[in-house]
């Protein structure tokens, strides 16, 4: 599962400024990077039938990613 297309899609949908998903000082993901990755992985796990959809909820009131790259 490659996250790159999803990171790019989210960046473009929300017109994000650099740095998008990581801390420039060390390259580790920031909160947004973790959020996007979690949404993509959760969607994948639901599609594969590995977890029920209810466990993949991202909550209300947050920007979400359309999970098709």
């Amino acid at each position: 599962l490659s996250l790159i297309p999803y990171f790019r899609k989210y960046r473009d949908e929300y017109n994000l400024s650099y740095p998008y998903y990581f801390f420039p000082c060390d390259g580790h993901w920031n909160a947004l990077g973790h959020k996007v990755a979690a949404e993509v992985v959760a969607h994948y796990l639901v599609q594969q039938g590995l977890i029920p959809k209810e466990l993949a909820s991202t909550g209300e009131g947050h920007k979400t990613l359309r999970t098709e790259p």
Side-chain angles (χ1 to χ4, degrees):
L1 175 63
S2 175
L3 299 177
I4 293 171
Y6 299 98
F7 280 132
R8 288 179 180 155
K9 182 174 177 64
Y10 192 96
R11 175 199 64 199
D12 295 344
E13 282 184 22
Y14 295 106
N15 299 314
L16 299 180
S17 298
Y18 181 84
Y20 319 110
Y21 306 110
F22 58 90
F23 296 107
C25 60
D26 65 9
H28 286 90
W29 287 346
N30 60 21
L32 182 58
H34 284 281
K35 176 190 178 309
V36 172
E39 286 183 15
V40 172
V41 171
H43 180 76
Y44 174 81
L45 293 173
V46 169
Q47 281 187 321
Q48 299 300 308
L50 299 172
I51 63 170
K53 186 176 182 177
E54 299 78 37
L55 292 180
S57 174
T58 59
E60 295 185 28
H62 299 283
K63 292 180 179 176
T64 58
L65 173 69
R66 293 184 196 97
T67 51
E68 301 303 320

